[in-house]
Amino acid sequence: MTRRLRIDDLTPSAVPERPALSPDGAHVAYVLRTVDTEADRDVRRLWRVPTRGGAPERLTAGWADTAPAWSPDGGRVAFLRAQDGPAQVWLLPAAGGEPTPLTALPLGAGEPVWSPDGTRIAFTAPVDRHAEPDRDDRARSRRAAAPAVVDRLDHRADGVRAHLHVVDVPTGGCRRITDGDWHAGRPSWSPDGTALAFAAATAPDADLTGHVPVHVVAAAGGVPARVGPADLVAGHVAWTADGTALLVVAAPGPGGPTRLLRVPPAGGPPADLVAGGGAGAPPVLVDDGRAVLFRDRGRLCSVPVDGGTPRPVPTAGLVVSDPAVAGGRVVVVRRTPTSRGELVCLDPATGAEAVLTDHGAPVPFPEEEREFTASDGTAVHGRLVRDPSFPGPRPVLLDLHDGPHDAEALHRELAARGWVVLLLDADARHPLEPLDRLIAEGLVDPARQAVAGHGSTAHRLTGQGDRFAAAVVDGLRPGRAPGGPLRERDHGRTPTLFLHGAEDAHVTRQWHAALRARGVPTRLVLYPGGAGFPPSHRLDHHRRLVDWVERHAAPTAAPRPDPDHWRRRLAALARLHDVPGAVLGVLRVRPGGEDDLVEVAHGVLNLATGVPTTTDSLFQIGSITKVWTAALVLRLVDEGLLDLDAPVVDVLPELRLADPEVTKRVTARHLLTHTSGIDGDVFTDTGRGDDCVAEYVARLGEVAQNHPPGATWSYCNSGFVLAGRVVEQLTGGTWDAALRELLITPLGLRATGTLPEEALLHRAAVGHTGTRPEPVPVWGLPRSVGPAGLIHSTAAEVLAFARLHLTGGLAPDGTRVLGESAVAAMAARQAELPAGHLPGESMGLGWFRTDWHGRALVCHDGNTPGQSAYLRVLPDAGLAVVLLTNSDGSQPLAEQLLGEVFAELAGVTPPPGPRPPDEPVTADARPHLGTYERAGQRIEVLVGEAGPRLRTTATGPLAELEDDPVQEYDLVAVGRDRYVVWEPRWRAWVPVTFHRLPTGERYVHVGVRATPKVG
């Protein structure tokens, strides 16, 4: 199974934008948009490509160069550059050379539009109408603390409005030619260069009506005169070639569909050139001014300027935008089923085309073009994005927007999750009828419908009843009246998410408040800086949309982890519990779909160096290694090389344990379930050579037998080293090599390893110890005990291993790494643990098994000097969670954080840990007084002044890692032979159980070890 596109894959894309043809049609200047993820910004630079074939070349090196416009003589390209301030108009010699600035306005300039004679450039520019000349900054600072007086609904406290300016190119002299408490739209020069046409809501009540009529003003300045009907909502404006009319993309009123109108400046009714069809994007003249190009629902169409029948321009792509015309050629940005967009030069008469660029990478799930016939015979053009491998009916998102809107990754993410995305133009007539058709086809589930679009569009649909289970509003359509939704905002009851720029969200706030007051689920997310979202905001926007529609329109789907939430919780709890650095990883396996994988990091890897923790940082996973070793053993069982219940000596005839009878009886199952009875905490360092594990096993004859095999349970590191030696014997190499060959490589892991020189190639954590954490002086355990605890890895790669145990042994690409029976055996009950002893009630093969309120979970923790790791796997939820830390005191962090994760994502919480009873229990501790000892620890049960006490003394190599090898605790009775002690380092109660074997030997179970009584 190949990895599908996720929302995060949005960032690397390179997309051409805004092509501009040279007057002779020989070259195209265009903007190439890429993403600088480190700086969290889009990068736009100007490029040029010949229309007759040739390689594109970069023209500028700025990071925000946009809006190229050729001079009428083709000698220069005007463009916008934002450099250390707001965007200004710059000029670039077409023959080559460095660009030079033309304007230096306080608040910047808008897109340049050349006059027909090439001597002037018109543009809109933001103006602080209340500022004194040349003192805008001071005026804004002064007003920041002044009272705000509001008369209009579209009030802006900063007093800034966009107005028309004209700059004289030879001299650089610039003048403003409009003024007023309104915004001027993009200007269009009359063919004789004497006037400028633009759209503006100049009426005193425009904030209430939403009307944006067309105006004309003399290029030298003066009072703008309204042209055409007063109730239009106009957007793009252009002149006919003879200057006798204006071509206007406009709606007849707020919320209505846009049309292409021919408006006579001298008066008279406008003519609808598209005869009831739709129109979008600026109109562009072709055929020597006799026809006009426009975009209708993603299609390029043309119509005679004097009226006639519109006809589509044949193109092989699904969506075209930004048409540029010159020299008898037309260049567009064309999207195809598998491309986000390339520049294409085409013949509008025949559709013959030549692809000029190849910047983008293909995307999966090709868009399917569909044409639906509405009940009145109207053709509704749409596109579908879906994964055909998912059976229907599926949840659907109806996405209504004005043309391309940078959501390819969003759509593919939804498709990978089993959704159908239906893309329709925002002005599509009968937008619900295509949905009805998909329902009738069995492709869409009628109970799981969601809608996304601009404010007026979404409001219109959600106000018609409760058809939609979820809605997402991402801003009002440009040019639409902000007052439109206000009048009927209380008609809908659809759970609605608002994603909006904070600077222009006054209507959205009121709509959100109205839904909230009625008890409708709603959320308002405001992004700083208006609609110009940086890449991180776009990614956040898309993630929130996916989360919202899945929560409300696909409630059967398991909840998805929210990276921001868990990043905050990890940081807060790590600080609370003094953990220097940690990484949390959460994996949700979705059969037939794309897995959810979330990784978040906090803190530093080493307090001495301050190197930040990142999600790809390496940590030691300690005894979680034992589950990997168990998996290696089960691989060999799958291959018929090993019998779990046959004596190990059959594979290792040279094996000699302290008890000859145990040597004959001990099996691999004993080793993997900690029931062999071999004294467990033996950390003999036998060097770094490839024979170190064999040498360690050769010395096990010197290690005491803790208890007879199978007689009780006691955590046993040495048993897993012996299991690792079995792996070596059967594979003919080292345990490390077998690990790499049988697990690491098949799983595609790149950072996981066993040796410190491998860890040095990555960002590696250093262990810390103490209540005031300090780095420990050692890296980790000896190589000789590798099979018991030497693996280092990242959160994502630990989860890649855990995934095997959620998929029946399959890797993400479908490769079988473990047999299904092996995975089941590892999770099955194999041995019992003493009552009340964490982390489980029973033992699988390598895994601890525990019951969380009736749900079976497998788990393992790991500890090395100064580092602790925690892995939990809940198979019935397809959920695996890992926490890697560089602290030996992170147990409280793990208990609280992992409990929250499983409660949020699986609806289950861990059972309460051991604690003293509410009422004191009387117990006789006298039979337990004395000394208990095993490798690594001596335990004494004493009589203290306040009752029985437990004293532990670390011995052997482990004692060297302890600041104080001797610890004492009060024994608090919880039942007969059962006690708890408070461990301040872990801030937790630890169970202590005394018991006797049938043969009479006494033991104390504490710290998951059974320690025999010796005196």
Side-chain angles (χ1 to χ4, degrees):
M1 182 173 64
T2 58
R3 183 185 181 278
R4 294 167 175 163
L5 188 76
R6 290 177 175 165
I7 289 173
D8 297 69
D9 296 320
L10 167 74
T11 54
S13 302
V15 182
E17 302 173 333
R18 304 296 303 272
L21 267 167
S22 60
D24 61 1
H27 291 86
V28 186
Y30 62 97
V31 176
L32 185 67
R33 173 167 60 88
T34 58
V35 172
D36 182 342
T37 54
E38 185 174 342
D40 189 26
R41 66 184 184 187
D42 290 321
V43 176
R44 287 178 166 89
R45 294 184 171 121
L46 299 192
W47 286 61
R48 177 172 60 188
V49 65
T51 56
R52 294 186 179 277
E57 61 176 334
R58 182 166 56 82
L59 295 177
T60 65
W63 67 270
D65 295 345
T66 61
W70 292 83
S71 62
D73 63 2
R76 287 174 288 189
V77 176
F79 67 98
L80 290 180
R81 166 172 286 182
Q83 178 173 293
D84 302 324
Q88 305 290 349
V89 178
W90 287 56
L91 293 177
L92 174 71
E98 291 298 316
T100 57
L102 181 62
T103 66
L105 297 173
L107 302 182
E111 299 178 12
V113 182
W114 287 90
S115 64
D117 62 4
T119 63
R120 293 160 294 167
I121 291 176
F123 53 88
T124 63
V127 175
D128 186 343
R129 299 182 62 246
H130 304 302
E132 300 174 22
D134 302 322
R135 297 177 65 186
D136 285 12
D137 290 341
R138 186 179 304 176
R140 283 190 296 276
S141 299
R142 192 168 56 247
R143 289 199 309 274
V149 179
V150 179
D151 295 318
R152 295 167 58 101
L153 298 180
D154 58 354
H155 164 79
R156 285 182 59 125
D158 59 10
V160 173
R161 294 289 186 265
H163 279 287
L164 297 190
H165 291 64
V166 173
V167 60
D168 184 73
V169 175
T171 66
C174 184
R175 66 185 185 281
R176 179 175 17 143
I177 63 171
T178 62
D179 190 20
D181 192 14
W182 40 267
H183 293 284
R186 186 176 187 269
S188 175
W189 287 94
S190 62
D192 61 6
T194 62
L196 292 163
F198 62 99
T202 58
D205 62 348
D207 59 325
L208 298 175
T209 66
H211 297 153
V212 187
V214 179
H215 295 75
V216 173
V217 66
V223 177
R226 180 174 57 81
V227 174
D231 59 355
L232 290 182
V233 181
H236 307 290
V237 180
W239 294 80
T240 58
D242 59 9
T244 61
L246 292 168
L247 301 171
V248 182
V249 175
T258 57
R259 301 284 184 258
L260 178 59
L261 306 178
R262 177 187 171 96
V263 178
D272 185 352
L273 298 182
V274 296
V284 181
L285 294 174
V286 292
D287 193 17
D288 294 326
R290 290 187 292 269
V292 58
L293 286 180
F294 62 96
R295 189 175 55 81
D296 180 10
R297 303 174 182 89
R299 291 283 190 176
L300 195 62
C301 300
S302 71
V303 66
V305 295
D306 294 326
T309 302
R311 63 176 183 84
V313 175
T315 63
L318 289 175
V319 178
V320 296
S321 61
D322 299 337
V325 177
R329 293 184 174 86
V330 177
V331 170
V332 297
V333 176
R334 192 195 72 188
R335 284 173 52 195
T336 68
T338 58
S339 170
R340 298 188 65 195
E342 299 296 345
L343 291 186
V344 176
C345 184
L346 57 86
D347 183 329
T350 66
E353 61 179 43
V355 179
L356 304 180
T357 61
D358 185 22
H359 292 296
V363 293
F365 309 133
E367 293 179 354
E368 306 169 32
E369 193 171 9
R370 290 288 301 267
E371 182 168 305
F372 305 89
T373 302
S375 54
D376 64 357
T378 302
V380 181
H381 300 279
R383 292 166 286 135
L384 288 182
V385 180
R386 63 188 178 106
D387 182 348
S389 67
F390 278 93
R394 306 301 305 163
V396 63
L397 175 69
L398 173 61
D399 195 347
L400 296 155
H401 283 84
D402 291 322
H405 58 287
D406 204 15
E408 290 83 0
L410 165 66
H411 296 153
R412 271 65 183 185
E413 172 90 358
L414 285 169
R417 297 174 184 231
W419 282 70
V420 173
V421 180
L422 173 60
L423 295 151
L424 297 179
D425 190 85
D427 283 332
R429 299 178 65 181
H430 314 293
L432 300 182
E433 294 192 27
L435 279 180
D436 294 333
R437 178 62 184 170
L438 296 180
I439 292 170
E441 293 174 2
L443 187 61
V444 165
D445 183 348
R448 294 189 287 170
Q449 300 181 69
V451 62
H454 296 295
S456 56
T457 304
H459 177 264
R460 173 165 49 94
L461 295 180
T462 57
Q464 296 178 6
D466 57 359
R467 172 172 186 144
F468 292 100
V472 178
V473 177
D474 59 2
L476 301 177
R477 183 188 304 184
R480 294 302 172 93
L486 283 173
R487 293 189 291 270
E488 300 178 1
R489 66 183 184 275
D490 58 344
H491 285 189
R493 298 198 61 87
T494 303
T496 302
L497 171 68
F498 297 91
L499 300 168
H500 215 292
E503 292 185 359
D504 50 356
H506 47 283
V507 170
T508 304
R509 293 176 190 269
Q510 296 175 52
W511 188 357
H512 168 260
L515 293 176
R516 181 80 176 94
R518 301 185 66 201
V520 178
T522 184
R523 176 173 293 170
L524 172 61
V525 181
L526 298 176
Y527 295 94
F533 299 160
S536 63
H537 286 178
R538 293 201 300 271
L539 294 177
D540 180 85
H541 171 285
H542 293 346
R543 293 190 190 108
R544 291 183 186 278
L545 187 152
V546 170
D547 177 72
W548 187 264
V549 298
E550 287 218 320
R551 183 185 310 172
H552 294 282
T556 57
R560 300 184 185 275
D562 179 352
D564 293 332
H565 171 74
W566 295 115
R567 186 178 296 106
R568 290 191 297 268
R569 292 304 295 150
L570 173 63
L573 294 177
R575 286 192 291 264
L576 176 66
H577 296 294
D578 296 319
V579 175
V583 176
L584 172 69
V586 180
L587 171 70
R588 171 90 72 183
V589 172
R590 297 185 182 271
E594 184 76 15
D595 295 347
D596 297 330
L597 175 62
V598 166
E599 307 162 80
V600 296
H602 166 76
V604 296
L605 296 174
N606 185 343
L607 285 174
T609 64
V611 175
T613 306
T614 56
T615 54
D616 60 352
S617 297
L618 283 181
F619 289 77
Q620 298 174 50
I621 67 170
S623 289
I624 298 175
T625 299
K626 293 180 174 64
V627 188
W628 298 59
T629 296
L632 290 178
V633 172
L634 269 292
R635 274 288 301 260
L636 302 177
V637 172
D638 281 345
E639 295 172 12
L641 299 177
L642 181 65
D643 182 345
L644 286 178
D645 297 308
V648 171
V649 73
D650 290 353
V651 176
L652 299 175
E654 72 278 11
L655 177 66
R656 297 292 183 271
L657 301 177
D659 185 331
E661 289 302 312
V662 174
T663 303
K664 297 176 184 178
R665 292 176 49 203
V666 72
T667 67
R669 192 180 302 275
H670 286 133
L671 301 180
L672 300 185
T673 57
H674 299 281
T675 58
S676 69
I678 303 170
D679 209 338
D681 287 335
V682 178
F683 297 93
T684 308
D685 187 350
T686 59
R688 284 289 312 277
D690 286 351
D691 63 347
C692 62
V693 172
E695 180 63 25
Y696 176 102
V697 170
R699 300 185 189 184
L700 285 181
E702 306 166 8
V703 176
Q705 186 69 23
N706 195 56
H707 58 78
T712 187
W713 183 93
S714 183
Y715 194 78
C716 185
N717 289 290
S718 53
F720 270 82
V721 179
L722 179 52
R725 177 59 188 146
V726 170
V727 171
E728 291 187 337
Q729 183 73 7
L730 293 176
T731 60
T734 64
W735 167 81
D736 313 66
L739 180 74
R740 185 161 298 279
E741 178 184 351
L742 300 180
L743 290 178
I744 292 176
T745 299
L747 289 174
L749 310 184
R750 298 183 179 278
T752 301
T754 56
L755 302 177
E757 54 265 34
E758 295 171 333
L760 284 173
L761 301 176
H762 305 272
R763 299 171 69 95
V766 170
H768 295 76
T769 190
T771 55
R772 294 184 176 180
E774 295 182 356
V776 297
V778 297
W779 162 250
L781 301 173
R783 185 185 180 193
S784 55
V785 296
L790 207 61
I791 291 177
H792 57 253
S793 190
T794 66
E797 296 197 356
V798 173
L799 291 174
F801 170 78
R803 189 182 187 279
L804 289 175
H805 303 272
L806 295 171
T807 61
L810 297 177
D813 64 357
T815 301
R816 178 158 295 285
V817 179
L818 280 178
E820 286 189 80
S821 60
V823 172
M826 290 182 67
R829 185 185 300 269
Q830 306 283 345
E832 300 298 320
L833 271 67
H837 281 257
L838 300 178
E841 293 87 31
S842 61
M843 203 61 217
L845 297 174
W847 285 116
F848 284 96
R849 305 175 71 256
T850 186
D851 182 283
W852 283 13
H853 306 289
R855 299 176 70 176
L857 179 139
V858 294
C859 59
H860 213 295
D861 297 345
N863 295 282
T864 60
Q867 299 197 41
S868 299
Y870 311 84
L871 177 61
R872 307 284 183 267
V873 179
L874 187 62
D876 71 10
L879 189 63
V881 184
V882 65
L883 176 65
L884 306 178
T885 76
N886 59 356
S887 167
D888 61 6
S890 58
Q891 182 74 28
L893 163 65
E895 290 182 0
Q896 186 171 352
L897 183 61
L898 298 183
E900 290 183 12
V901 171
F902 280 94
E904 173 74 19
L905 300 180
V908 65
T909 56
R915 52 168 294 174
D918 295 333
E919 298 293 331
V921 172
T922 300
D924 185 3
R926 288 177 297 175
H928 311 312
L929 300 179
T931 302
Y932 303 73
E933 190 161 8
R934 57 178 170 80
Q937 190 170 61
R938 180 169 62 253
I939 299 174
E940 299 166 87
V941 181
L942 316 166
V943 177
E945 294 182 3
R949 288 179 63 79
L950 188 78
R951 177 189 295 156
T952 64
T953 303
T955 61
L958 291 181
E960 300 175 4
L961 302 177
E962 299 284 349
D963 292 334
D964 185 353
V966 179
Q967 303 289 331
E968 285 201 21
Y969 312 89
D970 289 324
L971 281 165
V972 181
V974 298
R976 182 179 179 182
D977 300 330
R978 295 173 53 228
Y979 298 80
V980 291
V981 297
W982 176 254
E983 175 51 80
R985 292 175 297 178
W986 304 337
R987 284 170 270 187
W989 291 95
V990 177
V992 178
T993 303
F994 297 94
H995 72 106
R996 181 182 296 191
L997 297 183
T999 51
E1001 296 89 344
R1002 289 183 177 273
Y1003 286 81
V1004 60
H1005 265 280
V1006 61
V1008 298
R1009 272 97 169 157
T1011 304
K1013 191 173 185 180
V1014 296

